[in-house]
Amino acid sequence: MTERAAAPAAAPSSIDPAEVAKFQAMAAEWWDPQGKFKPLHMLNPTRLEYVCAQISAQFGRDRAGALPFQGLRILDIGCGGGLMAEPMARLGATVTGADAASGNIAVARLHAEEQGLEIDYLATTAEALAAEGRRFDVVMALEIVEHVADPPAFIATCRDLVVPGGMLIASTLNRTAKSFAAAIIGAEWVMRWLPKGTHDWHRFITPDELAGMAEASGLSVVDRCGMVFNPLGWSWSLSHRDLSVNYMLSALRGDDPA
């Protein structure tokens, strides 16, 4: 009797099924600027400005050029409907968008096709991509760290997905009284931009905690920057002084030892 070879073990995952289900349920509204993702549509130009500045500085790219990121491989992990993946593709990068919610990927693929953009969208996890040996010049993990089951393990996996000399750019919410007031009371309870329960304040991560996770994984943190909402001007801006609510972090992977 011939023995069957054992199936390869599945890659461990930091995915939280309950968190994935939340965004799966809202997938159809990704590209509605007045829908449930209105806060991200408002925030997106500010996120894009930060990401582009960091990538340009690290790789010596002239943002005034037609396709400044041409030749760079960028992964948007937790890409949702593609709000950041699409502008990266328009800037010339070779973009892979990955999300554990298949509904998000279906929406992202359709929208990219309608825009004439070539983006490799995959319904998968960071751990599965790392297990395949995939590597990227830039990994973006935006508004996802607070939704995974094991943030330190997730950041370590993101590090594995970055080539030596490449960078991780992450954004999340600080765990402060101000963030509770803004992200939960304001966005969910008062403005009703998001369904109640979208965020769990206890899962928010302080800048020092996120930096510690990055450093522990072998990355070198090079920048931390807040994103500040101005209710009077109804606009967002970057601030290196105010990281009390939303913030972004950039970290580099050095050359591996020979």
Side-chain angles (χ1 to χ4, degrees), residues 40-148:
L40 280 184
H41 281 273
M42 295 170 61
L43 181 62
N44 217 44
T46 304
R47 295 196 302 178
L48 183 61
E49 172 60 28
Y50 181 83
V51 168
C52 287
Q54 292 296 309
I55 294 174
S56 298
Q58 174 62 15
F59 295 97
R61 300 305 178 96
D62 180 3
R63 293 172 62 186
L67 298 170
F69 296 163
Q70 192 166 41
L72 293 178
R73 296 160 297 168
I74 296 180
L75 170 66
D76 185 4
I77 190 72
C79 63
L83 299 189
M84 284 294 290
E86 288 199 5
M88 292 295 104
R90 289 192 179 93
L91 291 168
T94 299
V95 181
T96 298
D99 201 294
S102 58
N104 290 344
I105 292 299
V107 170
R109 284 174 177 162
L110 177 60
H111 196 271
E113 183 178 344
E114 291 173 344
Q115 301 299 310
L117 296 172
E118 291 187 12
I119 298 173
D120 185 18
Y121 281 119
L122 303 170
T124 189
T125 65
E127 292 80 10
L129 290 172
E132 293 171 11
R134 300 286 296 271
R135 300 291 182 269
F136 303 87
D137 300 297
V138 180
V139 172
M140 301 188 301
L142 309 178
E143 278 68 58
I144 181 177
V145 186
E146 70 272 23
H147 296 291
V148 302

Side-chain angles (χ1 to χ4, degrees), residues 98-203:
D99 201 294
S102 58
N104 290 344
I105 292 299
V107 170
R109 284 174 177 162
L110 177 60
H111 196 271
E113 183 178 344
E114 291 173 344
Q115 301 299 310
L117 296 172
E118 291 187 12
I119 298 173
D120 185 18
Y121 281 119
L122 303 170
T124 189
T125 65
E127 292 80 10
L129 290 172
E132 293 171 11
R134 300 286 296 271
R135 300 291 182 269
F136 303 87
D137 300 297
V138 180
V139 172
M140 301 188 301
L142 309 178
E143 278 68 58
I144 181 177
V145 186
E146 70 272 23
H147 296 291
V148 302
D150 187 340
F154 174 74
I155 293 297
T157 301
C158 288
R159 181 265 182 195
D160 291 341
L161 289 164
V162 177
V163 299
M167 71 189 314
L168 168 68
I169 302 176
S171 64
T172 189
L173 285 152
N174 198 349
R175 193 174 60 256
T176 61
K178 188 174 179 180
S179 72
F180 184 88
I184 296 178
I185 295 176
E188 295 184 18
W189 299 358
V190 178
M191 301 305 295
R192 297 183 181 179
W193 286 334
L194 294 167
K196 287 185 179 180
T198 298
H199 291 108
D200 180 348
W201 181 83
H202 296 93
R203 300 177 75 151

